[in-house]
Amino acid sequence: MGPLMSLKSSEEVVVNAKERSWVDSVMTTLSPEQRIGQLFMVAAYSNKDEKHFRRIDALVDRYGIGGLMFMQGGPVRQAVLTNRFQHGAKVPLLIAMDAEWGLDMRLDSSMHFARQMTLGALDDDKYIYLMGREIALKMKRLGVNVSFSPVMDVNVNPANPVIGSRSFGESKEEVTRRGVAYIRGLQDHGVIAVAKHFPGHGDTDTDSHYALPIVSHNVKRLTDVELYPFKKSFEAGVMGVMVAHLYMPSIDTTRNLASTLSPALVTGLLKDKMKYRGLIFTDALNMKGVSSYYKPGEVDLKALLAGNDVLLFPEDVPTAVNYIKGAIAAGQLKQEEVDQRVRKILHAKYWAGLNYYKPVSLTNLEQEIDRPLSNVVQEQLYEHSVTVVRNQGNLLPFRNLDTLSIASVAIGAPAGNVFQETLGNYAPISKFSIPDRFAPDSAFTKVITKLKDNDLVVVSIHNMNFTPTKDFGIGVGTRAFIQYLQERTNKKVVVVVMGNAYSLKFFDKSKWLVCGYEDNPVAQELVPQMLFGARAAGGKLPVTASTSIKSGMGLTTPAIGRLKYGAPESVGMDSQVLKQIDNIALEAIAYAATPGAQVLVVKDGTVIFDKSYGHYTYEKEKPVTNNTVYDVASITKVAATLQAIMFLKDQGKISLDAKVSAYLPELRGTNKEGILMRDVLTHQAGLLPVLPHWQKTLATMQTKQMYYASIRTDSYPNEVIPGFYSIKTMEDSLWTWTVKSKMLPRSKSGKGYDYKYSDLDFYVLKRVAEKMLNQPLDEFMDQNFYAPLGLSTMTYKPLLKHSRDVIAPTEDDRYFRHNLIWGSVHDQGAAMLGGVAGHAGLFSNANDLAILLQMNLQNGKYGGQDYFNTNVVTEFSRRQSTNSRRGIGWDKPEPEGNGPTSDLAPMSTFGHTGFTGTGAWVDPENKLIYIFLSNRVFPDAGNNKLVTYNIRTRIHDVVYKAIIPKT
């Protein structure tokens, strides 16, 4: 593994001449005192003041210390200080960090990957290697050369207060395999890995930061368990090892002598018996495990005499230097021994590239540290670690959503947490939050009374701690609450522990038990996806929590084809390019093209962009969110009516080439007797574009009073808007007027009719659907599509299900309803019918619309159910003639360009737009869905700026430009 691995006790080194020359040249420039200085690695904090910085300057200048271990601070501040301290160093400093789970172990505004317990649950070690790579690349960019990781301790003691979740687990083989993957990820990308805490800190019940832990095992046991991962990591070429502060009487019986200070352990065991030749670091010398027994300077000398190379975190460098100089003068320590260790340090510096030291560039530092690909790795770590411990009757993943009444109780998390928001993307969820983990019984009792209508409860536990003696932060009330639900109700209770796996012991009787290991936004987003089958689960417990919950347990659950949520780069999209969407959407807001909007993008079944902009109105009193519900206008045609027509076609109940009159006998003997289903679906049936039926009902005061009332009664049941109701026979009247309406002139060729987009086509198609289904369209769609798909917002007549507060308002209507339209359908014809029409009336947020369209993209398959049995969507989405761009019911790109889609969209794309400022497009070639929702008609439907500025199509352009070319 490079020069450090081939270093011999005789100081013979198998290296190239250039490296030897550099090391020799540096050695000749160093005085004996400066050589001693190279042995010290001092703690530096970028969050401290100038006084601290000057103290480091002095140690670098006066004593020529060999390295720095950066502690708390921030990336940019650390980079600035690194340059400052390196500038003052005669020999470039070796820069180190504790970054076991990423830079955020020490630095603010930095990425957290995963603790080693989480990594111990992974179903594939390659993700650990990738994490090591990402951490190494961040460290290199920050000028860091050494990572004090991985932890190679075998955590066989559940009461361990300091290792615990920092270990890969209790199996020496698993710890070894995963640790080696981490080491290779770091060292393959230019960062020295340091295995710790030799000879093994996994079976202690004392924290060496505060006292000296005792490990009483005999040598055979130590060799068989604790030393095993270290031996294998040495064979794998780990370049550094850190010696722990432990009392190990089986190796050295000297009272109160930590292993760090024991010649028998460091030299006798590590260097002589185990033949380790890499860099040997002490653990921090300010820790009470050593500092309680030896004063500064004395402890440093003893560590050096024991055989260590690098003295980490010394409390008093000047005093330590004097102690070491005195030992050399007294013959207690030879200068040659110091020189040999300095050479090892210099070889490490050469390997790290410090022979050609360059300052850390501050240009784009934060952007380059925050590599988008790191988000993908972070996501993979949590996806592949989620562990299903119990799953009675294969309840997980949740299926048949229309048969479940689901509640979520998040304990230890505030309302609006990512976990519950993600659950809500998949189904209607009753959400309850108990932010205080130690809340009084009354808080839990109050929630219990609200769960009476739910048959399935997901209880997630958040904000836990890592302390066994504090029950990992799980209060007695939490345990009693879960036990009550399990034993005193008939509900299915799925317990999700977002924390330490040892805490699973508290839920031994759970029939459904899941461990997410950590409680950060990424983990909170990934675990719900597994619960609903968007992602598979395959993690295994790395530790034993109880007699029945043992290491290695973990059930696999399948992915069943539901939408995932993830990073753009995970599906080959460029997140930096996608940021251009922000500029266009904000331009639309600034130019008053719409007060609010939502943009959602799906690629390869993964939602990779979902963002809302602006407010409900131009007064900017309430911002829109991703849960805001919009009137989707003519998207209703394809999201409701066309779904029903495709269902009928799929079932063989209609023929596209049949006359409509075959299904609607009332058309016989009229000018519409001969129109064909296919022509109606492609807007080539000769129907008028629109009939302003509402104007006819307001022709006189007498007609208005005949058709409308201000109070709902059995005779006037249809709500046009609250306080304005239409006559019971309104639909019959509209249908009669539609049937009697004129036809367009026939085509000049004499063959049929030219293409003319018409709402009337979907008046007809709704009538066909309801006749053949023998059910109202809204009821059919809810029972057969929306509810089974888990759509919580997509609906007709939204005020029956939602508060007006979650619905974006549309037009301030001054000609028909004389009111602000808010929660009622904007389209006049649909409003007259009470809100349910074939051409308009549907409301939704972008997420629910994306689910419906993903089901269509998957030709009717979604969430383990088949909504269509044939490739009916493929058939309907094909362009039908040269007369128009249309498919069967679906709109499509304009072949000559300048159509409703991006010109970059392939001709296979299908979807629709809506008058209220909406658009939804499916691209089966790129497995791409693009949705734009807005309320551009507020307050005036005459506002056409969305089209004028090409807002929807320009955003669609960005989506295509964000696709990373395959290489």
Side-chain angles (χ1 to χ4, degrees):
M1 177 38 153
L4 292 181
M5 296 305 98
S6 41
L7 202 61
K8 308 297 181 183
S9 57
S10 63
E11 296 187 23
E12 293 177 6
V13 157
V14 183
V15 294
N16 62 55
K18 190 175 180 181
E19 179 176 346
R20 181 190 293 274
S21 174
W22 184 80
V23 172
D24 288 344
S25 67
V26 173
M27 285 295 291
T28 59
T29 67
L30 299 175
S31 68
E33 185 172 287
Q34 289 171 331
R35 294 180 186 186
I36 294 172
Q38 285 293 304
L39 305 174
F40 294 95
M41 183 170 274
V42 175
Y45 297 77
S46 61
N47 66 348
K48 288 194 175 183
D49 58 13
E50 183 63 22
K51 181 180 178 181
H52 170 72
F53 305 154
R54 287 177 181 171
R55 188 181 76 82
I56 303 294
D57 287 333
L59 292 175
V60 172
D61 179 59
R62 171 67 182 83
Y63 294 95
I65 58 173
L68 295 172
M69 172 193 183
F70 270 102
M71 301 293 283
Q72 283 75 17
V76 175
R77 287 172 288 163
Q78 179 171 312
V80 170
L81 285 177
T82 298
N83 289 345
R84 170 175 169 167
F85 298 143
Q86 290 283 25
H87 180 73
K90 180 178 180 180
V91 179
L93 298 160
L94 200 61
I95 306 295
M97 284 185 70
D98 260 327
E100 294 168 20
W101 50 79
L103 299 185
D104 91 314
M105 186 170 177
R106 291 291 179 254
L107 303 181
D108 59 30
S109 62
S110 299
M111 176 171 285
H112 175 99
F113 283 92
R115 285 175 170 261
Q116 288 187 195
M117 177 181 279
T118 306
L119 304 181
L122 286 168
D123 56 13
D124 194 328
D125 295 342
K126 72 179 180 182
Y127 301 111
I128 301 174
Y129 177 89
L130 293 175
M131 173 179 137
R133 177 196 72 187
E134 292 302 308
I135 292 174
L137 292 173
K138 293 175 190 295
M139 295 180 110
K140 290 284 283 184
R141 181 64 183 85
L142 201 54
V144 180
N145 321 112
V146 179
S147 179
F148 292 131
S149 59
V151 172
M152 299 299 285
D153 303 319
V154 183
N155 202 81
V156 294
N157 188 344
N160 196 318
V162 65
I163 302 303
S165 65
R166 296 169 64 196
S167 166
F168 290 111
E170 67 181 46
S171 161
K172 66 180 183 181
E173 292 85 4
E174 294 292 323
V175 169
T176 297
R177 202 179 71 244
R178 296 170 193 275
V180 168
Y182 194 168
I183 289 164
R184 288 177 174 155
L186 289 170
Q187 295 187 171
D188 285 356
H189 297 89
V191 169
I192 295 169
V194 178
K196 63 184 186 185
H197 305 83
F198 183 86
H201 209 317
D203 195 7
T204 63
D205 55 11
T206 303
D207 186 344
S208 54
H209 290 85
Y210 306 108
L212 182 62
I214 299 173
V215 178
S216 56
H217 297 304
N218 59 36
V219 173
K220 182 180 183 303
R221 153 61 195 256
L222 291 173
T223 302
D224 184 51
V225 179
E226 278 77 10
L227 295 177
Y228 181 87
F230 290 99
K231 180 176 183 293
K232 294 298 183 182
S233 73
F234 299 164
E235 293 171 1
V238 68
M239 296 177 71
V241 66
M242 178 183 287
V243 182
H245 303 316
L246 304 168
Y247 178 54
M248 310 191 80
S250 63
I251 295 174
D252 193 328
T253 58
T254 306
R255 188 173 177 81
N256 294 330
L257 185 70
S259 48
T260 336
L261 312 182
S262 168
L265 189 139
V266 181
T267 297
L269 175 61
L270 178 58
K271 297 170 80 171
D272 294 345
K273 187 173 182 180
M274 299 184 74
K275 308 296 184 186
Y276 186 65
R277 296 295 179 263
L279 272 183
I280 302 173
F281 295 79
T282 68
D283 206 340
L285 294 176
N286 69 331
M287 292 166 62
K288 297 301 181 183
V290 289
S291 65
S292 293
Y293 304 100
Y294 302 96
K295 60 188 177 182
E298 185 182 8
V299 71
D300 306 80
L301 175 59
K302 291 188 76 69
L304 196 59
L305 291 171
N308 295 284
D309 300 316
V310 181
L311 306 175
L312 185 65
F313 215 139
E315 291 190 282
D316 188 339
V317 171
T319 300
V321 170
N322 286 333
Y323 263 88
I324 295 168
K325 287 166 66 177
I328 294 173
Q332 189 181 5
L333 177 68
K334 295 178 182 179
Q335 182 66 47
E336 291 77 14
E337 293 177 290
V338 173
D339 290 352
Q340 190 265 347
R341 290 165 196 184
V342 174
R343 285 184 175 276
K344 288 174 72 175
I345 293 168
L346 292 176
H347 279 296
K349 291 184 177 185
Y350 185 94
W351 185 92
L354 292 174
N355 54 314
Y356 289 116
Y357 166 73
K358 293 181 180 179
V360 179
S361 171
L362 302 181
T363 304
N364 297 324
L365 176 64
E366 290 176 294
Q367 296 92 320
E368 291 174 15
I369 287 177
D370 296 334
R371 286 163 43 86
L373 281 175
S374 294
N375 297 319
V376 179
V377 174
Q378 183 189 40
E379 188 178 288
Q380 291 169 331
L381 295 174
Y382 291 101
E383 174 181 6
H384 292 274
S385 63
V386 177
T387 304
V388 178
V389 182
R390 301 254 176 80
N391 188 20
Q392 188 178 91
N394 293 320
L395 175 67
L396 302 175
F398 302 140
R399 303 170 188 262
N400 304 315
L401 301 182
D402 52 333
T403 68
L404 302 175
S405 176
I406 306 174
S408 164
V409 181
I411 301 171
N417 60 80
V418 174
F419 186 91
Q420 290 184 311
E421 289 300 304
T422 306
L423 286 176
N425 287 335
Y426 290 103
I429 305 287
S430 300
K431 301 172 188 174
F432 306 97
S433 171
I434 304 175
D436 181 2
R437 291 172 292 131
F438 303 99
D441 292 346
S442 58
F444 293 98
T445 302
K446 188 176 180 180
V447 170
I448 289 173
T449 61
K450 295 178 180 179
L451 297 174
K452 63 181 186 301
D453 295 328
N454 301 108
D455 51 34
L456 192 160
V457 183
V458 178
V459 182
S460 54
I461 305 171
H462 303 267
N463 196 26
M464 295 167 56
N465 61 42
F466 302 103
T467 309
T469 56
K470 295 182 179 179
D471 293 342
F472 304 100
I474 302 176
V476 174
T478 295
R479 285 175 259 167
F481 169 72
I482 292 172
Q483 186 176 356
Y484 179 91
L485 290 178
Q486 292 171 333
E487 297 179 359
R488 305 282 294 276
T489 74
N490 293 321
K491 304 179 190 303
K492 294 180 174 68
V493 183
V494 179
V495 179
V496 179
V497 175
M498 299 298 290
N500 195 300
Y502 284 119
S503 70
L504 296 172
K505 67 182 181 180
F506 298 123
F507 311 107
D508 220 359
K509 297 180 180 179
S510 294
K511 297 176 181 177
W512 300 278
L513 183 60
V514 177
C515 189
Y517 298 97
E518 301 191 45
D519 188 36
N520 54 58
V522 179
Q524 286 194 26
E525 187 174 60
L526 266 296
V527 174
Q529 295 184 53
M530 181 282 302
L531 296 178
F532 280 94
R535 299 178 189 263
K540 305 290 183 184
L541 288 178
V543 296
T544 294
S546 70
T547 54
S548 63
I549 301 176
K550 296 186 176 182
S551 174
M553 286 180 63
L555 304 168
T556 58
T557 60
I560 56 174
R562 289 198 175 108
L563 278 182
K564 296 184 285 188
Y565 300 82
E569 280 75 13
S570 69
V571 288
M573 299 285 281
D574 190 325
S575 56
Q576 296 303 309
V577 175
L578 287 170
K579 287 181 180 178
Q580 296 173 25
I581 292 174
D582 293 349
N583 298 331
I584 301 172
L586 293 174
E587 174 191 327
I589 306 296
Y591 289 171
T594 180
Q598 183 180 5
V599 178
L600 184 145
V601 180
V602 181
K603 178 75 167 72
D604 295 340
T606 301
V607 177
I608 50 93
F609 192 98
D610 188 6
K611 198 167 181 180
S612 291
Y613 307 87
H615 296 76
Y616 277 49
T617 69
Y618 292 111
E619 283 71 34
K620 300 183 178 180
E621 294 175 351
K622 182 176 182 177
V624 294
T625 72
N626 289 350
N627 294 318
T628 299
V629 177
Y630 293 86
D631 179 340
V632 299
S634 283
I635 289 178
T636 303
K637 292 180 172 73
V638 296
T641 312
L642 187 63
Q643 301 296 311
I645 294 295
M646 288 193 293
F647 175 87
L648 290 167
K649 171 66 168 62
D650 181 68
Q651 296 289 317
K653 294 182 178 179
I654 62 169
S655 168
L656 297 181
D657 296 312
K659 293 180 179 179
V660 177
S661 57
Y663 310 116
L664 299 177
E666 64 266 35
L667 296 184
R668 295 169 187 166
T670 73
N671 58 0
K672 297 171 182 62
E673 180 178 12
I675 60 175
L676 303 178
M677 285 293 295
R678 187 183 300 274
D679 290 339
V680 173
L681 283 158
T682 55
H683 298 278
Q684 293 182 195
L687 300 181
L688 295 172
V690 67
L691 283 174
H693 295 312
W694 66 274
Q695 292 179 355
K696 184 176 293 189
T697 64
L698 300 181
T700 66
M701 182 59 70
Q702 184 178 1
T703 56
K704 180 178 180 180
Q705 291 175 347
M706 179 177 71
Y707 286 110
Y708 302 104
S710 59
I711 299 174
R712 190 199 300 267
T713 64
D714 290 344
S715 299
Y716 291 87
N718 305 311
E719 184 177 272
V720 180
I721 59 170
F724 190 38
Y725 305 91
S726 68
I727 194 168
K728 184 177 183 178
T729 57
M730 181 65 85
E731 184 164 10
D732 291 337
S733 297
L734 264 62
W735 178 241
T736 299
W737 298 338
T738 300
V739 171
K740 292 180 176 180
S741 65
K742 296 179 181 178
M743 298 289 283
L744 293 170
R746 298 187 71 85
S747 169
K748 292 180 180 179
S749 66
K751 298 179 180 179
Y753 296 90
D754 291 329
Y755 163 75
K756 192 68 175 180
Y757 179 74
S758 172
D759 282 347
L760 269 60
D761 290 303
F762 280 80
Y763 277 73
V764 172
L765 292 168
K766 174 178 180 284
R767 194 84 173 185
V768 171
E770 293 184 333
K771 179 73 175 291
M772 300 306 295
L773 294 167
N774 194 31
Q775 189 177 14
L777 178 64
D778 56 333
E779 291 181 12
F780 171 80
M781 289 304 300
D782 190 59
Q783 291 174 13
N784 293 276
F785 287 87
Y786 305 156
L789 285 168
L791 309 187
S792 57
T793 67
M794 184 173 284
T795 184
Y796 285 99
K797 299 187 283 191
L799 290 176
L800 295 180
K801 294 184 178 181
H802 306 295
S803 162
R804 193 175 75 160
D805 291 341
V806 303
I807 305 170
T810 54
E811 187 178 14
D812 190 0
D813 181 352
R814 294 301 171 192
Y815 47 88
F816 174 30
R817 289 155 286 190
H818 300 282
N819 218 315
L820 174 64
I821 310 305
W822 192 356
S824 303
V825 62
H826 174 261
D827 182 88
Q828 298 90 347
M832 294 164 69
L833 298 172
V836 181
H839 66 292
L842 201 62
F843 286 69
S844 183
N845 69 359
N847 184 78
D848 281 0
L849 185 53
I851 290 173
L852 182 74
L853 294 179
Q854 185 68 29
M855 179 272 287
N856 279 260
L857 178 58
Q858 295 169 182
N859 251 311
K861 300 184 187 304
Y862 192 87
Q865 292 181 244
D866 291 343
Y867 293 85
F868 305 124
N869 297 310
T870 64
N871 292 336
V872 65
V873 180
T874 300
E875 178 185 357
F876 274 56
S877 62
R878 292 193 192 102
R879 187 183 177 196
Q880 293 299 298
S881 75
T882 58
N883 294 337
S884 79
R885 63 179 187 249
R886 292 272 169 172
I888 301 175
W890 296 102
D891 199 0
K892 294 183 65 62
E894 190 63 58
E896 304 302 320
N898 198 30
T901 69
S902 166
D903 288 348
L904 300 173
M907 289 299 107
S908 58
T909 300
F910 59 94
H912 217 280
T913 56
F915 182 79
T916 51
T918 59
W921 297 101
V922 181
D923 171 358
E925 289 183 32
N926 293 295
K927 297 181 180 178
L928 191 71
I929 296 172
Y930 160 58
I931 294 171
F932 180 95
L933 301 182
S934 79
N935 58 334
R936 68 101 192 160
V937 294
F938 175 90
D940 179 8
N943 179 3
N944 291 315
K945 292 177 183 177
L946 273 185
V947 175
T948 302
Y949 298 129
N950 295 315
I951 299 298
R952 288 175 288 190
T953 51
R954 284 166 57 204
I955 292 177
H956 207 186
D957 287 341
V958 172
V959 173
Y960 279 101
K961 291 173 183 176
I963 298 175
I964 300 171
K966 294 181 180 179
T967 56

